Amino acid sequence: MAAKIETRLHVDAHIEAGTTLGLDHAGAHFLRSVLRLKPGAMLAVFNAQDGEWLARIDGIGKGWCSLEVTELRRLPEPEPDLWLVFAPIKRARLDFVAEKAVELGCSLLQPVFTGYTDVSRVNSERLAANAREAAEQCERLSLPLVRDVISFEKLLADWPTERRLLLCAESGGVKPIGEVLQDIRAGDPQAGREPWAIMTGPEGGFTKGELDALTKLPFVTPVGLGPRILRADTAAVSALACWQAVLGDWEKRPPDRSDA
Amino acid sequence: MAAKIETRLHVDAHIEAGTTLGLDHAGAHFLRSVLRLKPGAMLAVFNAQDGEWLARIDGIGKGWCSLEVTELRRLPEPEPDLWLVFAPIKRARLDFVAEKAVELGCSLLQPVFTGYTDVSRVNSERLAANAREAAEQCERLSLPLVRDVISFEKLLADWPTERRLLLCAESGGVKPIGEVLQDIRAGDPQAGREPWAIMTGPEGGFTKGELDALTKLPFVTPVGLGPRILRADTAAVSALACWQAVLGDWEKRPPDRSDA
């Protein structure tokens, strides 16, 4: 493919060669008014089910765009099933966490109100928009699910017990995350293919009651992130990176984009 | 210690019990006008040489404050010698990298202009101020050094060859960071006590010439950070977290602050 790939867009519709895709208003506006693309321009469209495909702009106007799918660019592939469960924090840092969580391969973002959470609402649409943009930029094939914020009690009540949870705990005598992850991998080299979650608290940390409730659950493993007090966003990004490095898919390399 | 610790301040001066410390204008202003503290209020003062000490506000006025050092709170302790060498990025993301690098135990921040760097200047004072604030908040005893930005050529010409460099490389057939760090640790459990550096490129990555120049150097080990294209700031934070988890001091826990 010599043609320049102008951008990369996630589409919900089924993608296959020869089909024509109609973009929604936002997508069409982005291509026409932001990137100023014309018919004939090439882009990549993707989703988790169909992988990534080359597509040519067939027609484009105010609020509409039709794409002709030409050829497969990248096959769908399994991705880690790693949730991030986090106490919401201030907006700029929350935007940051959403972006980084997507780049670090999170499959689902679940905000949860904990005792020391000092944010009263979470804009799920904003979170989802940040997640989508990050996925389009980082070469992911999937979009993470973004759940509405729930209470700590509901989180525990509804937890799928087969999903293991790494709890980032600032206090208490817990093992360091590196040692915990290495031990898990040593015990089962395929452990990263199971469902996992990482949970981080608000800036104030978890309440003693929350820590007690969490640490007695069989699927919870508390981990330490060292001697410095990490901000909530730093803890989330750090734990996700460590998980990917030890249990995740970081043995893979980015797709070759010498065609782009 | 029943007394509430109002805040934590880095001071350059030598700290020992019974001495009186005079704060600079900025420090005095922060205590008086931001925190609104009065004589008798307790805080913690620290530096890498003397550790952390309790201090009482002796006198405070417009632009001045004298502190009486009362007792040792925490002994000085060795910290990892880990540099972050990074291509400067846009301001908000640079502020973020500085804050995270401090929380993740960097000893020095070195911005470097690379071929694809699209930022023309770096505000070292701003970087240093962010670093100081982050150190005061994250329970560190040291402040990282913040160097002025230099050229890629000067970086290599002046490099202290005993300092090993982990190069975060988006392209090329390199080993994943987790495997590389584990192999280094397996070969020498004390490897983390040596001088190290982590290097990240700009959003556009390194030029081919830069990658070729770096990878032929004996002290450079290129590493991969997985199949998703990470933003420059994500790569820096992720690599620092992985280094700390495997070679760094994350077997330690935060100091007990039940007195605070």
Side-chain angles (χ1 to χ4, degrees):
Chain A
M1 278 308 306
K4 178 167 184 296
I5 308 303
E6 302 290 348
T7 190
R8 199 171 169 269
L9 288 184
H10 180 273
V11 296
D12 295 321
H14 173 60
I15 315 171
E16 65 177 278
T19 53
T20 298
L21 299 174
L23 295 185
D24 60 19
H25 189 287
H29 175 79
F30 176 68
L31 296 188
R32 179 169 179 267
S33 304
V34 179
L35 298 185
R36 305 197 171 285
L37 300 183
K38 309 245 177 301
M42 297 299 297
L43 45 132
V45 291
F46 68 95
N47 63 41
Q49 294 68 42
D50 305 314
E52 184 168 330
W53 296 72
L54 290 172
R56 178 184 299 106
I57 295 181
D58 188 31
I60 186 165
K62 189 161 188 178
W64 66 275
C65 178
S66 63
L67 301 174
E68 182 193 358
V69 178
T70 59
E71 65 184 80
L72 182 67
R73 194 182 191 204
R74 188 170 153 208
L75 286 167
E77 55 190 293
E79 296 177 280
D81 179 8
L82 176 63
W83 292 5
L84 177 64
V85 180
F86 60 99
I89 49 182
K90 293 191 182 61
R91 195 167 103 167
R93 291 182 182 275
L94 193 57
D95 290 348
F96 165 80
V97 167
E99 175 187 284
K100 302 317 178 201
V102 172
E103 293 177 53
L104 294 170
C106 271
S107 56
L108 181 143
L109 298 176
Q110 175 64 72
V112 56
F113 284 136
T114 65
Y116 292 151
T117 301
D118 67 356
V119 169
S120 56
R121 59 180 295 276
V122 179
N123 183 336
S124 302
E125 289 70 26
R126 183 185 172 95
L127 265 185
N130 287 333
R132 179 191 179 119
E133 183 181 351
E136 290 176 341
Q137 290 194 7
C138 78
E139 300 287 342
R140 259 180 86 140
L141 290 177
S142 64
L143 288 194
L145 293 171
V146 175
R147 292 245 184 104
D148 289 333
V149 62
I150 58 175
S151 70
F152 181 81
E153 294 66 29
K154 182 163 173 52
L155 178 81
L156 296 199
D158 297 351
W159 191 265
T161 57
E162 76 283 0
R163 182 174 296 272
R164 300 173 69 175
L165 176 65
L166 281 187
L167 172 66
C168 299
E170 281 170 358
S171 60
V174 303
K175 286 186 174 178
I177 188 169
E179 180 184 338
V180 167
L181 290 170
Q182 284 298 332
D183 290 349
I184 290 167
R185 181 182 175 152
D188 174 10
Q190 304 303 322
R193 298 189 182 181
E194 297 162 16
W196 279 90
I198 285 167
M199 183 170 186
T200 56
E203 293 298 351
F206 293 102
T207 68
K208 175 149 193 331
E210 287 164 350
L211 281 177
D212 292 344
L214 285 164
T215 50
K216 72 163 68 107
L217 294 168
F219 51 81
V220 171
T221 306
V223 294
L225 297 172
R228 290 162 293 274
I229 300 289
L230 304 184
R231 284 182 176 272
D233 53 354
T234 318
V237 175
S238 298
L240 290 168
C242 291
W243 189 93
Q244 288 290 359
V246 180
L247 295 183
D249 62 4
W250 277 13
E251 79 284 353
K252 297 183 184 174
R253 295 292 285 153
D256 178 11
R257 287 297 176 241
S258 48
D259 67 349
Chain B
M1 276 309 306
K4 178 169 184 297
I5 308 303
E6 302 289 348
T7 190
R8 198 170 170 272
L9 288 184
H10 180 273
V11 296
D12 296 319
H14 173 60
I15 315 171
E16 65 175 274
T19 54
T20 299
L21 300 173
L23 295 183
D24 61 18
H25 190 287
H29 175 77
F30 175 68
L31 296 187
R32 179 168 179 267
S33 303
V34 180
L35 298 184
R36 306 196 170 285
L37 300 183
K38 309 249 178 296
M42 298 299 296
L43 44 128
V45 291
F46 68 95
N47 63 42
Q49 296 67 42
D50 304 316
E52 184 167 329
W53 295 72
L54 290 173
R56 179 184 300 107
I57 294 180
D58 189 31
I60 187 165
K62 192 162 187 179
W64 66 274
C65 178
S66 64
L67 301 174
E68 184 193 358
V69 178
T70 59
E71 66 185 81
L72 181 67
R73 193 181 191 205
R74 188 169 154 209
L75 287 166
E77 55 190 293
E79 297 177 278
D81 180 8
L82 176 63
W83 292 5
L84 177 64
V85 180
F86 59 99
I89 48 182
K90 293 191 182 62
R91 196 168 102 165
R93 292 182 183 274
L94 193 58
D95 290 348
F96 165 79
V97 166
E99 174 187 285
K100 302 316 179 203
V102 172
E103 294 177 53
L104 294 170
C106 272
S107 56
L108 182 143
L109 298 175
Q110 175 64 72
V112 56
F113 284 135
T114 65
Y116 293 150
T117 300
D118 66 356
V119 169
S120 56
R121 60 180 295 276
V122 179
N123 183 338
S124 301
E125 290 70 25
R126 182 185 173 96
L127 264 184
N130 287 333
R132 180 194 179 115
E133 182 181 352
E136 291 176 340
Q137 290 194 7
C138 78
E139 300 287 341
R140 260 180 85 140
L141 289 176
S142 63
L143 290 193
L145 293 171
V146 175
R147 293 246 185 102
D148 290 332
V149 62
I150 58 176
S151 70
F152 182 81
E153 294 67 29
K154 182 162 173 51
L155 178 80
L156 295 198
D158 297 351
W159 191 264
T161 56
E162 75 283 0
R163 182 173 296 271
R164 302 174 68 175
L165 177 65
L166 281 186
L167 173 66
C168 299
E170 281 171 355
S171 60
V174 303
K175 286 186 175 178
I177 188 169
E179 179 183 339
V180 167
L181 290 170
Q182 283 298 333
D183 289 350
I184 290 167
R185 181 181 175 153
D188 174 9
Q190 305 303 321
R193 298 189 182 181
E194 296 162 15
W196 279 90
I198 286 166
M199 184 171 185
T200 56
E203 294 299 351
F206 294 101
T207 68
K208 178 151 191 329
E210 287 163 350
L211 281 177
D212 291 345
L214 284 164
T215 49
K216 72 162 69 106
L217 294 168
F219 52 82
V220 170
T221 306
V223 294
L225 297 172
R228 290 163 293 274
I229 301 290
L230 303 185
R231 284 183 177 274
D233 54 353
T234 317
V237 175
S238 298
L240 290 168
C242 291
W243 188 94
Q244 288 289 359
V246 179
L247 295 183
D249 62 4
W250 277 14
E251 79 285 352
K252 296 182 183 174
R253 295 291 287 153
D256 177 12
R257 286 299 177 237
S258 49
D259 68 349

